[in-house]
């Protein structure tokens, strides 16, 4: 299930953010700076619609959505490490893409180049590459299932994760 985040979720959401992203942040940018990350997180929450992903009524992940370039922007998806690789991230992506498609909107996101597992997940779910920066791949899902077969063909040619 996915529900709108409440003010009472804030502390748990920050703990999830640290748990889900600390390793990647430290690999990409150096030591975790708690003050900087708390400011980043505060801005993230203020600037986006935040949703909690639940399993059996228990919070296990979060989505941060906005609007950019006339479509839905998935700023961040986080699933607690102990709940990863269970299909919860894929289900949450389907939920976001379906909501966008109902409004005839695409869904876009960026994924850090070092986050290979997430990149593969997005491609498997029908997102296609639309650009890149020095640090991120830019992806878009047009809101239809037409690109899923193409994306799966591309993913099958990618090197396996280590």
């Amino acid at each position: 299930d996915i529900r709108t985040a409440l003010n009472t979720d804030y502390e748990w959401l920050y703990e999830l953010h640290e748990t889900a992203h600390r390793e990647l942040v430290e690999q990409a940018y150096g030591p975790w700076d708690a003050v900087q990350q708390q400011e980043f997180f505060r801005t993230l929450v203020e600037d986006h619609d935040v949703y909690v992903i639940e399993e059996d009524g228990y919070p296990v992940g979060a989505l941060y959505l906005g609007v950019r370039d006339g479509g839905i922007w998935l700023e961040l998806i986080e699933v607690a490490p102990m709940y990863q690789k269970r299909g919860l991230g894929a289900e949450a992506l389907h939920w976001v893409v379906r909501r966008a498609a109902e409004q005839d909107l695409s869904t876009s996101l960026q994924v850090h180049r070092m986050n290979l597992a997430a990149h593969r997940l997005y491609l498997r779910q029908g997102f296609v590459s639309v650009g890149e920066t020095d640090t991120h791949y830019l992806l878009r899902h047009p809101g239809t299932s037409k690109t899923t077969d193409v994306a799966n063909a591309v993913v099958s040619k990618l090197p396996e994760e280590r």
Side-chain angles (χ1 to χ4, degrees), residues 51-64:
Y51 298 89
V52 174
I53 302 165
E54 294 184 325
E55 183 174 67
D56 298 325
Y58 184 76
V60 298
L63 296 164
Y64 299 81

Side-chain angles (χ1 to χ4, degrees), residues 71-146:
I72 300 299
W73 179 260
L74 175 55
E75 181 66 32
L76 196 57
I77 181 171
E78 298 172 325
V79 176
M82 66 188 320
Y83 290 92
Q84 292 176 3
K85 301 194 185 322
R86 295 185 184 189
L88 296 170
E91 288 177 24
L93 285 173
H94 285 293
W95 182 83
V96 173
V97 168
R98 186 173 52 251
R99 285 181 49 139
E102 288 169 357
Q103 302 171 60
D104 290 325
L105 299 173
S106 63
T107 302
S108 299
L109 57 86
Q110 64 182 9
V111 60
H112 200 283
R113 289 174 175 268
M114 295 178 75
N115 197 345
L116 299 177
H119 187 222
R120 290 180 64 83
L121 170 65
Y122 299 138
L123 293 175
R124 280 195 312 269
Q125 298 306 315
F127 284 81
V128 294
S129 180
V130 294
E132 54 188 73
T133 68
D134 290 343
T135 57
H136 290 80
Y137 297 112
L138 308 174
L139 305 170
R140 178 173 295 132
H141 193 293
T144 69
S145 60
K146 291 179 185 177

Side-chain angles (χ1 to χ4, degrees), residues 42-58:
R42 184 187 60 75
T43 303
L44 179 70
V45 170
E46 288 176 358
D47 292 348
H48 296 87
D49 294 330
V50 183
Y51 298 89
V52 174
I53 302 165
E54 294 184 325
E55 183 174 67
D56 298 325
Y58 184 76

